[in-house]
Amino acid sequence: MSQTKDTPPAYSADFVVSAAAFKQFPEPLDFEVALLGRSNSGKSSLLNRFIGRKSLARVSGTPGRTRLINFFKIAWTKEEAPFYVADLPGYGFAAAPKDMVAGWQELVNSYLKAKRPNRLALLLMDIRRDPQIEEKNLVQWLKDLAIDFRLVATKADKLNSSARSKRLKIIQKDLQLPEPPLMFSALSGEGREVLISALRQKAQSD
Ligand SMILES: Nc1nc2c(ncn2[C@@H]2O[C@H](COP(=O)(O)OP(=O)(O)OP(=O)(O)O)[C@@H](O)[C@H]2O)c(=O)[nH]1
Ligand SMILES: [Mg+2]
């Protein structure tokens, strides 16, 4: 693939706010992407690679912000309308205390239930792992709330192409997804163009 075909880095990408509750969510823009997934599934890495700017990683990596919803405002070009990316707190710490799990649920629930028009949720999971109860519950949750979503199988660079397609089939079947998962590697950038066009399509759909 030639270098020139790739979408250049976002024209602007700014950290907006770390929200601990509904009241702190910014007023919605025309379009919003929500990043959901287990801790360590690659949400922050995907975001950085996706926008092609390293400067945001520092913000999202700030200790203490990881239990909050981090909003970023992205614009591909000077002319295009900006949109939000909401990086939701990761779940699935084996040793997480009960009240921490409950806190996560409450925050994510208030975000998913909030009226945020034209939103696309990306549910990330490591391509090598089988969907767990958390992923199954999240898929059900998104369906119940009628939130459009795509599954993104991350860390694709860890597998060769035949292993990848096997894993994608298993994940799609396990989660009963209507469409095959998208694939992404923050390491190589593979999947970036497909993801960008999926998002642009959705952004223009309302
Ligand atoms: N090889 C490879 N490693 C990756 C990829 N994406 C993420 N990683 C690694 O996986 C680890 C977790 O990535 P993060 O992006 O911090 O994951 P996260 O989902 O934001 O985690 P939380 O913020 O804790 O919820 C890091 O060590 C990354 O370097 C990828 O595409 N390929
Ligand atoms: Mg993160």
Side-chain angles (χ1 to χ4, degrees):
M1 225 193 287
S2 90
Q3 195 70 32
T4 51
K5 271 198 202 157
D6 288 355
T7 307
Y11 163 73
S12 66
D14 300 299
F15 169 73
V16 178
V17 69
S18 287
F22 177 81
K23 275 195 280 187
Q24 293 159 349
F25 299 167
E27 275 298 305
L29 297 167
D30 294 342
F31 178 55
E32 185 161 308
V33 178
L35 301 179
L36 283 157
R38 190 171 293 280
S39 184
N40 219 38
S41 59
K43 297 179 294 299
S44 303
S45 306
L46 177 139
L47 177 59
N48 285 327
R49 173 57 95 154
F50 170 68
I51 59 172
R53 292 160 69 113
K54 290 202 178 94
S55 56
L56 286 193
R58 213 175 43 233
V59 174
S60 55
T62 306
R65 287 211 167 123
T66 52
R67 310 311 304 164
L68 306 171
I69 301 179
N70 295 307
F71 286 86
F72 301 92
K73 193 176 182 177
I74 317 286
W76 285 118
T77 60
K78 202 175 172 182
E79 293 74 30
E80 266 176 280
F83 61 97
Y84 280 134
V85 173
D87 186 8
L88 277 86
Y91 53 84
F93 290 104
K98 264 202 182 125
D99 55 349
M100 196 166 152
V101 176
W104 179 88
Q105 263 178 355
E106 196 185 317
L107 181 59
V108 173
N109 198 24
S110 71
Y111 172 76
L112 293 178
K113 279 185 161 168
K115 284 206 172 60
R116 308 206 50 98
N118 206 16
R119 176 166 55 172
L120 179 69
L122 298 177
L123 175 52
L124 273 60
M125 59 174 285
D126 188 320
I127 191 166
R128 297 165 296 175
R129 311 217 178 288
D130 288 330
Q132 304 292 310
I133 187 71
E134 290 94 337
E135 281 77 29
K136 289 177 184 169
N137 287 344
L138 265 172
V139 165
Q140 195 54 52
W141 214 355
L142 292 164
K143 283 182 181 167
D144 290 347
L145 293 166
I147 296 173
D148 200 7
F149 74 95
R150 292 299 300 270
L151 192 118
V152 182
T154 59
K155 312 191 188 185
D157 53 275
K158 297 277 191 185
L159 299 177
N160 65 30
S161 73
S162 69
R164 285 177 186 188
S165 36
K166 267 189 212 152
R167 293 295 316 152
L168 292 183
K169 282 196 189 111
I170 292 169
I171 293 169
Q172 184 177 5
K173 189 160 173 273
D174 266 16
L175 291 173
Q176 299 176 309
L177 303 171
E179 293 171 281
L182 300 168
M183 214 173 26
F184 197 83
S185 166
L187 201 71
S188 68
E190 207 182 329
R192 179 174 181 260
E193 291 306 316
V194 176
L195 187 63
I196 289 173
S197 55
L199 262 51
R200 275 197 161 133
Q201 211 179 352
K202 174 70 179 164
Q204 286 155 12
S205 70
D206 267 21

